[in-house]
Each structure stands twice: as structure tokens, then as C-alpha cells.
């Protein structure tokens, strides 16, 4: 497999509250993480960094390989543990009270991907030249769309578009969506914060994923498009490809 993870401050924000990384174990299994922090200066970036760090520590302690059931249990446990870590930190330091973060994390093997998801950062699967969203945003606007109270078009510019119904660090009992799906060689998965998806349409995401070039070139182009469209938010993109080639690179 090959992977890339990039994050960008954007054109407006004074600092970057997103965090991302990927890690590979001795069995060529990957953990990919994207977290989008919230809570104001020095708070959102702390929350997202704590989430990533918590999962990194748990991953590095793992020695056994993953099957789907074990991957699902592991992600559920580690994401809940990250939630506890963020909550404890905010209680110890009043200046960080109220901080939180979205999270999309995936255990990736050559046979399957298991995703753990809280918030409105997203995961997509790209195969047969088609991009399919695999997560459902935990946002007020998305719930209104699902219930028929808003159309997808109305949701695009809704004033409460960024109101989250779930995030890490905001509640003792966090609900985590866990999904497992198979993937084939040459398919890819895209993970991103809403700084990308709020500015770049799914159609344009698909065009970039279909373009020639390396994973780094594709991730860079996606970030460029979001910045070109205004870049009001931080932008984070991680891509992993199920290929026989080995190698990876990251730039944050």
C-alpha cells in the first residue's frame, strides 16, 4: 500500500486546528487519521493533536495483525480512549474547556478497511473510477437533510452548516460509527476534513482522484482547489491506495 497525508492552514485562518498522520506496522497494515479540532485558538489544535497522539500510542503498542472484527473492536476502544484523554485534559486546564475534535480513522489492510468516525470529517472509497462517500456527517444540517426538512441544495449554504451533533471531547459517552468494507487492488480511500468538502464538490474530488499523478500530487491538487475556492477553513487530505507497490510519504 501507499499513503499520503497533507494539511494546510488555508487562506483565512490564523492557525491550523487540523491534525493528520498515517502509520504502518510490520505486517504492512496502516492506520490513517484525520482530525479537525474546534474550540478557538490553542484549543482546537490541542484537541485534534491529542486525538491523533492517543491513537498513535495505541497503534504502536499493537503487535498482532487485524481481522475485521478485531479492527472494529480496536477502533471503538481507542477512539473512546481518545475521547477520555481530551475530556481529562480540558478539565485539568480551564483555558481548554469546551474544546473538541472530529475524527475519522481507518485500519487498512490489503483485504479490507475498517473506519471509525465521529463528526463531519469524511471517508470516501475510490474504485472503478467512481468515488463513493462511506461516512455520514454527524451534523445538524445532515440530519435535517435525512429527515426531509432540507434539500441537499439548501444544506450547502445553510447558516448552521457547521453545527456538529457529535465530537470527541464534548461528552463522556461518545457514539462512534464503525464500518468495514472490502477493497481490491488499485482502489483507494480518501479521508478529509470539511475544509475540503465544503469548498470542493464530490464531482471535482472524483475528477482529481481519476487524474494521472502520484498520491502526493492528487492531495496537493485537492488542497489547491479548496484554497482557490476561498480556503476559509483548514484543509486536510489523506489518501491510501491498495497497491502492490510499497512506500509512503507525509507532509504536514
Amino acid at each position: 500500500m501507499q499513503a499520503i497525508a497533507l494539511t494546510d492552514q488555508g487562506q483565512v485562518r490564523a492557525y491550523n486546528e487540523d491534525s493528520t498522520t498515517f502509520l504502518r506496522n510490520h505486517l504492512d497494515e496502516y492506520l490513517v487519521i484525520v482530525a479537525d479540532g474546534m474550540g478557538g485558538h490553542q484549543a482546537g489544535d490541542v484537541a485534534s493533536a491529542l486525538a491523533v497522539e492517543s491513537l498513535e500510542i495505541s497503534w504502536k503498542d499493537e503487535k498482532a495483525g487485524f481481522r475485521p472484527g478485531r479492527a472494529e473492536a480496536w477502533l471503538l476502544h481507542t477512539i473512546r480512549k481518545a475521547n477520555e484523554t481530551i475530556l481529562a485534559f480540558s478539565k485539568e486546564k480551564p483555558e481548554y474547556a469546551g474544546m473538541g475534535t472530529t475524527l475519522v480513522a481507518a485500519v487498512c489492510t490489503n483485504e479490507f478497511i475498517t473506519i471509525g468516525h465521529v463528526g463531519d470529517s469524511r471517508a470516501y472509497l475510490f474504485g472503478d473510477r467512481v468515488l463513493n462517500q462511506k461516512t455520514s456527517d454527524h451534523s445538524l444540517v445532515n440530519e435535517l437533510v435525512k429527515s426531509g426538512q432540507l434539500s441537499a441544495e439548501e444544506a450547502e449554504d445553510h447558516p448552521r452548516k457547521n453545527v456538529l451533533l457529535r465530537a470527541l471531547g464534548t461528552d463522556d459517552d461518545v457514539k462512534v460509527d464503525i464500518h468495514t468494507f472490502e477493497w481490491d487492488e488499485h482502489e483507494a480511500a480518501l479521508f478529509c476534513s470539511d475544509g475540503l468538502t465544503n469548498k470542493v464538490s464530490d464531482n471535482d474530488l472524483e475528477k482529481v482522484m481519476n487524474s494521472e499523478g502520484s498520491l502526493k500530487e492528487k492531495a496537493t491538487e485537492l488542497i489547491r482547489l479548496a484554497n482557490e475556492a476561498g480556503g476559509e477553513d483548514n484543509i486536510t487530505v489523506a489518501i491510501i491506495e491498495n497497491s502492490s507497490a510499497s512506500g509512503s510519504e507525509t507532509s504536514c
Side-chain angles (χ1 to χ4, degrees):
M1 285 182 281
Q2 299 183 85
I4 184 72
L6 299 177
T7 186
D8 188 86
Q9 184 174 312
Q11 301 298 300
V12 175
R13 298 289 180 91
Y15 48 91
N16 194 345
E17 292 187 299
D18 288 3
S19 296
T20 185
T21 195
F22 63 85
L23 301 99
R24 182 176 62 183
N25 66 16
H26 65 290
L27 297 171
D28 199 36
E29 299 168 330
Y30 279 72
L31 174 67
V32 183
I33 313 168
V34 169
D36 180 356
M38 57 191 185
H41 183 48
Q42 294 297 314
D45 53 333
V46 171
S48 66
L50 284 171
V52 170
E53 181 183 32
S54 181
L55 267 71
E56 281 184 313
I57 291 170
S58 295
W59 179 262
K60 290 174 181 177
D61 286 340
E62 283 296 321
K63 305 303 179 187
F66 287 94
R67 299 306 304 160
R70 185 169 185 274
E72 291 178 357
W74 185 87
L75 273 174
L76 182 60
H77 173 74
T78 54
I79 292 173
R80 286 176 173 170
K81 186 176 179 181
N83 184 63
E84 293 170 1
T85 298
I86 297 167
L87 276 171
F89 193 88
S90 64
K91 289 175 181 177
E92 291 171 4
K93 299 183 180 293
E95 63 268 33
Y96 297 133
M99 70 178 180
T101 184
T102 71
L103 182 77
V104 58
V107 174
C108 307
T109 76
N110 290 118
E111 291 79 32
F112 69 90
I113 297 178
T114 298
I115 297 171
H117 169 239
V118 179
D120 62 356
S121 293
R122 292 182 181 176
Y124 294 82
L125 179 65
F126 177 71
D128 295 326
R129 303 187 66 82
V130 176
L131 191 70
N132 289 302
Q133 186 175 335
K134 306 300 288 189
T135 54
S136 179
D137 295 348
H138 302 140
S139 65
L140 174 63
V141 165
N142 192 45
E143 287 302 312
L144 294 174
V145 170
K146 289 195 293 184
S147 67
Q149 297 178 64
L150 279 181
S151 68
E153 292 73 20
E154 290 171 331
E156 285 299 317
D157 298 310
H158 196 278
R160 303 190 72 187
K161 185 174 182 179
N162 294 324
V163 176
L164 294 179
L165 301 181
R166 295 189 215 171
L168 293 187
T170 61
D171 197 320
D172 288 325
D173 185 22
V174 65
K175 185 178 180 182
V176 184
D177 285 357
I178 304 286
H179 304 286
T180 296
F181 52 91
E182 296 179 351
W183 66 338
D184 298 320
E185 190 171 0
H186 305 305
E187 292 187 330
L190 167 66
F191 307 90
C192 57
S193 62
D194 69 339
L196 178 70
T197 52
N198 282 343
K199 306 305 294 186
V200 182
S201 69
D202 282 3
N203 185 52
D204 286 336
L205 296 180
E206 186 175 271
K207 286 181 181 177
V208 173
M209 294 298 291
N210 270 305
S211 65
E212 297 295 328
S214 67
L215 296 188
K216 185 174 183 179
E217 288 170 334
K218 292 177 182 180
T220 300
E221 174 63 8
L222 290 172
I223 289 173
R224 186 193 69 79
L225 289 174
N227 277 323
E228 188 177 71
E232 290 90 354
D233 200 355
N234 311 137
I235 309 150
T236 297
V237 177
I239 306 172
I240 184 165
E241 183 178 64
N242 190 0
S243 67
S244 55
S246 62
S248 55
E249 54 184 325
T250 186
S251 176
C252 295

